[in-house]
Amino acid sequence: MTSERAGDVFLVVAPRGATDAAERRFLAAAASWLLGVDPATVHIERSCPHCGGRDHGRPLVAMASGCVAGSRALHVSLGRAGGRVAFALTFLGPVGVDIESVAAVSRGGFDAVAFDAVAFGPTELAALAEFSPSDAAGARARLWTAKEAVLKCTGDGLRVDPRDLAVSLPGRRGLGTPRLDAWRGTRVPVDAIRLRGIDPGPGLVGTVAVLAEGGLAAGGPTVCVVPADDIRHHGNGTA
């Protein structure tokens, strides 16, 4: 890893791939770019920490036999919404990224009140009630992406009741950095999970969550956006 690639979390946002396999190839190219190795030596596997299945679960970076890329593990995650896909990569520790359409979460063909009742706890519902209707739509989506990102980061997914997680959105209009305040029943050290809001494009919101094995500065993690074309060029051998 070169010095200019020594940030905390690297984020790539691109158009959705035609297939899941195509998106995994793109994520593998991003991983090889960050590791500084030949794209042909990296591929993405999946592993479910609960059942051991290899057709679902969190994505894992795998190297071709005999290839080594440094001593630190590279952690990756991906999220999809609308026509966009987001990839997060970091050496800090387990990572999760989630993106959502504000319209889909707030009024996309289902009852937002019913959604709120199964997604958010009393403190979050009270906070949402303080927003104007226009601001509440974005805040609702940001809260949800924060919960999804945390659950991807830990590998729990929606096996966990999302109401067990308490997330806040500090700052005016809820546009501050999301914060995981509590998680009922978990053994995960809540203070070690840090969140950062991201901008995946018009009409979308997102969050990155990192379980930092070595700790983070108070403002961390830092998110470094990598242009998708840089990854395409590297994957094609033209970088």
Side-chain angles (χ1 to χ4, degrees):
M1 182 178 61
T2 59
S3 59
E4 67 270 18
R5 298 179 183 177
D8 287 342
V9 179
F10 295 85
L11 176 72
V12 185
V13 180
R16 287 278 297 267
T19 63
D20 178 69
E23 290 179 348
R24 284 203 276 175
R25 286 193 296 271
F26 193 95
L27 177 54
S32 69
W33 174 86
L34 189 54
L35 292 165
V37 300
D38 185 339
T41 65
V42 179
H43 65 280
I44 301 297
E45 298 178 347
R46 298 192 83 98
S47 177
C48 175
H50 299 278
C51 72
R54 306 306 293 265
D55 60 342
H56 62 285
R58 72 165 81 218
L60 302 172
V61 176
M63 304 292 294
S65 178
C67 295
V68 178
S71 59
R72 300 177 68 190
L74 178 62
H75 303 268
V76 300
S77 181
L78 66 88
R80 306 178 181 95
R84 310 294 283 175
V85 59
F87 305 98
L89 308 92
T90 184
F91 293 96
L92 284 169
V95 64
V97 62
D98 189 65
I99 62 175
E100 299 287 352
S101 160
V102 173
V105 171
S106 295
R107 56 182 184 278
F110 59 85
D111 184 345
V113 174
F115 173 77
D116 287 357
V118 298
F120 306 123
T123 302
E124 295 157 336
L125 292 172
L128 286 172
E130 296 296 320
F131 290 106
S132 68
S134 59
D135 290 339
R140 176 181 290 106
R142 281 190 291 276
L143 282 173
W144 182 244
T145 63
K147 295 191 177 203
E148 285 265 47
V150 169
L151 294 175
K152 288 182 180 182
C153 171
T154 62
D156 288 293
L158 290 178
R159 293 176 182 82
V160 169
D161 186 335
R163 292 170 295 186
D164 287 344
L165 284 70
V167 175
S168 57
L169 297 173
R172 184 172 175 269
R173 298 173 60 195
L175 297 177
T177 298
R179 184 175 62 234
L180 178 62
D181 296 319
W183 184 348
R184 185 171 59 239
T186 187
R187 295 182 180 180
V188 177
V190 171
D191 290 346
I193 299 177
R194 297 293 182 81
L195 308 179
R196 176 67 67 182
I198 59 173
D199 179 7
L204 302 174
V205 297
T207 304
V208 170
V210 178
L211 177 56
E213 296 168 343
L216 281 173
T222 298
V223 175
C224 175
V225 178
V226 181
D229 282 347
D230 287 3
I231 304 304
R232 291 193 187 93
H233 293 160
H234 176 73
N236 292 331
T238 55

